[in-house]
């Protein structure tokens, strides 16, 4: 699946990442934060258990349920 990845800065130099299907807008419930574009059209496996680089767990499930996938609040992010 091709997704657009956005990020926002957090404390201690960390980032939260948001993935939406390529070309779609950030869903309204997630627009209350300023997101910076990280990459457009990233091809990732939505069936993967997690996208380590972005700290996103069960991306396919999140995309299906919410229309976007986001870094878990208590998940460590990849390098």
């Amino acid at each position: 699946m091709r997704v657009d990845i956005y990020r926002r800065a957090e404390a201690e130099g960390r980032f939260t990442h948001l993935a939406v299907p390529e070309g779609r807008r950030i869903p309204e419930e997630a627009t209350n934060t300023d997101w910076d574009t990280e990459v457009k059209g990233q091809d990732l496996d939505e069936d993967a258990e997690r996208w380590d680089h972005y700290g996103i767990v069960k991306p396919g499930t999140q995309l299906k349920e919410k229309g976007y996938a986001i870094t878990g609040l208590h998940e460590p992010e990849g390098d």
Side-chain angles (χ1 to χ4, degrees):
M1 168 178 264
R2 293 178 64 85
V3 294
D4 296 333
I5 305 289
Y6 301 91
R7 72 179 186 179
R8 72 171 180 231
E10 302 290 351
E12 300 175 13
R14 297 182 56 147
F15 293 93
T16 294
H17 289 91
L18 175 76
V20 296
E22 183 179 31
R24 290 200 188 158
R25 299 175 112 185
I26 295 172
E28 191 172 316
E29 66 268 22
T31 59
N32 61 343
T33 301
D34 289 331
W35 294 99
D36 295 317
T37 301
E38 183 162 318
V39 65
K40 295 278 192 171
Q42 177 75 41
D43 194 18
L44 296 170
D45 180 6
E46 72 268 24
D47 294 324
E49 182 62 27
R50 65 183 291 123
W51 292 338
D52 287 327
H53 182 74
Y54 301 114
I56 296 175
V57 177
K58 299 185 179 174
T61 300
Q62 289 192 59
L63 287 162
K64 185 182 213 180
E65 292 176 356
K66 301 184 284 192
Y68 63 92
I70 193 165
T71 302
L73 295 176
H74 303 290
E75 289 295 320
E77 291 187 40
D79 295 332

